[in-house]
Amino acid sequence: MLQVHGSGMLVQTLLKNDLVDELRLRIYSVTLGTGKSIFAKGTIPAAFELIESKSSPTGVIIANYKRSGEIKTGSFD
C-alpha cells in the first residue's frame, strides 16, 4: 500500500500508469479557487466500487473505493 498526501502530480502519474487499485478520498466542503484536477488528461479510465463511506462531525466525507472490473456507464435511475 502506498499512501499519497498532498502530491497531486504523483497521484496523476499513478493513475496515468494504471497503478491504482484503491482510492481513499477525504472530501472537504471548501472552495478555494480553481484548484487542480486529480483526474487529469491522460488518466486511464477505470471502474471503482464504493466499499465504505462516512462523514465527520465537521462535514468531511471519507469515501473508500476499490477497483471493480469493467467500466459501466448509465444513469442515476
Side-chain angles (χ1 to χ4, degrees):
M1 177 191 303
L2 171 68
Q3 291 187 14
V4 179
H5 300 271
S7 179
M9 290 181 64
L10 177 56
V11 171
Q12 289 174 358
T13 300
L14 294 171
L15 288 166
K16 285 179 186 178
N17 289 285
D18 200 22
L19 297 173
V20 177
D21 60 0
E22 188 172 327
L23 294 169
R24 294 181 178 197
L25 303 178
R26 306 303 177 255
I27 304 162
Y28 297 82
S29 57
V30 176
T31 56
L32 299 172
T34 58
K36 286 186 172 182
S37 175
I38 295 174
F39 308 105
K41 204 180 241 186
T43 299
I44 295 172
F48 288 86
E49 173 187 359
L50 181 66
I51 56 174
E52 180 182 13
S53 67
K54 55 188 171 184
S55 61
S56 76
T58 59
V60 177
I61 299 169
I62 302 163
N64 297 336
Y65 296 86
K66 70 175 182 175
R67 286 294 286 268
S68 66
E70 286 190 45
I71 297 172
K72 298 175 188 158
T73 59
S75 68
F76 288 105
D77 297 334

